[in-house]
Amino acid sequence: PSTLYIASDLNVMTTTDLGSSWSELGTGLPGVTVHDLHIHAATRMLAAFTHGRSIYTYDLPLAPVWSVQVEIAPRWNLLSNPVDSTDVSLGANFPEALSQAYTFSGGSYASGNALNPGSGYWVKFSETPASPHSFYGSPITSDTIPVLEGWNMVGSISAAVAIGSITSDPPGLVTSQFFGYLAGYYTASAIEPGKGYWVKVSGDGDVILTDGPAATPGNRIVIREISEAPPAPPNAVASDESTPRAFRL
């Protein structure tokens, strides 16, 4: 997260300490203006688009692999993907899951097979799930999560974020407390990596999670506690319920 690349009037510059010091990236680039940069994540190749001198490419070091562990409880879990990974499918991350991944939007659930960062998901497991589970990928240090008026399921980043440090756009978005789930709802004091959370908001906007300095008070969400509980887990027929466990003739 401390490595940055910028396009300049003469070359591509890089820093490994968030800008405290800079150096030229690679050799062979003519002294021309670089208009744009693009990183192809799968091959770790950076492309520099120059003014009139074609495209130059650089092979970047492999990104470090980040590991985040999350505890899995029996049956329904409210989860999220806290890393940037090449395969976000439910099957790759939780092959033992007994349901699809359920999101919530516009007042109803929708099922799918992707665990995209930023969203919260319901996933069902057996009575004795493998736990803990590890997510592998590049760390996510901040995320801007769109929310709609009413109930929303939101995800996490790679580090815990105190509820009181969450910001919003527009600033001062009014929200309920954040609810986690462990065989029942509880009021969360932090957004933990790998977990999903319910929150009710007063209007459309974005909630912003950041692993960094405390937010200025004016940009923080305004939390007004409510007595209303979030929606219950999906009443979906998971695979462990679709096969009869006993037969009688």
Side-chain angles (χ1 to χ4, degrees):
S2 59
T3 300
L4 303 173
Y5 304 94
I6 64 167
S8 75
D9 291 343
L10 296 175
N11 50 30
V12 178
M13 302 295 292
T14 182
T15 175
T16 58
D17 52 18
L18 287 178
S20 296
S21 60
W22 292 88
S23 61
E24 183 177 351
L25 178 66
T27 59
L29 182 68
V32 294
T33 299
V34 178
H35 289 293
D36 196 13
L37 300 174
H38 177 76
I39 295 177
H40 186 251
T43 60
R44 296 294 296 163
M45 182 187 72
L46 182 145
F49 298 82
T50 69
H51 182 77
R53 296 295 295 272
S54 191
I55 302 171
Y56 285 74
T57 61
Y58 304 86
D59 292 323
L60 302 179
L62 292 176
V65 176
W66 192 264
S67 174
V68 175
Q69 283 194 336
V70 59
E71 297 290 335
I72 305 299
R75 301 182 70 79
W76 287 107
N77 285 254
L78 195 48
L79 302 173
S80 65
N81 183 357
V83 298
D84 184 8
S85 57
T86 55
D87 192 345
V88 299
S89 68
L90 177 66
N93 287 277
F94 293 105
E96 73 280 19
L98 300 180
S99 74
Q100 291 188 293
Y102 288 86
T103 56
F104 187 86
S105 180
S108 62
Y109 286 116
S111 62
N113 189 44
L115 298 173
N116 295 307
S119 297
Y121 296 91
W122 282 114
V123 181
K124 191 176 185 181
F125 296 87
S126 71
E127 294 287 354
T128 55
S131 183
H133 169 80
S134 294
F135 288 95
Y136 295 99
S138 301
I140 298 174
T141 57
S142 65
D143 202 0
T144 299
I145 303 172
V147 291
L148 301 175
E149 181 180 356
W151 285 108
N152 295 263
M153 289 167 59
V154 299
S156 62
I157 60 175
S158 300
V161 178
I163 298 299
S165 69
I166 297 174
T167 59
S168 66
D169 183 20
L173 188 67
V174 177
T175 79
S176 68
Q177 63 269 50
F178 284 70
F179 296 91
Y181 187 85
L182 184 60
Y185 287 117
Y186 64 90
T187 299
S189 60
I191 303 296
E192 298 291 342
K195 294 295 187 180
Y197 297 87
W198 281 105
V199 63
K200 191 173 187 179
V201 299
S202 61
D204 298 354
D206 299 308
V207 293
I208 303 167
L209 308 181
T210 303
D211 176 23
T216 56
N219 292 331
R220 295 176 188 165
I221 59 173
V222 176
I223 300 175
R224 294 179 180 167
E225 293 192 3
I226 61 175
S227 57
E228 179 186 357
N235 291 320
V237 178
S239 61
D240 68 329
E241 297 173 338
S242 60
T243 303
R245 297 175 182 270
F247 300 88
R248 177 176 295 177
L249 298 176

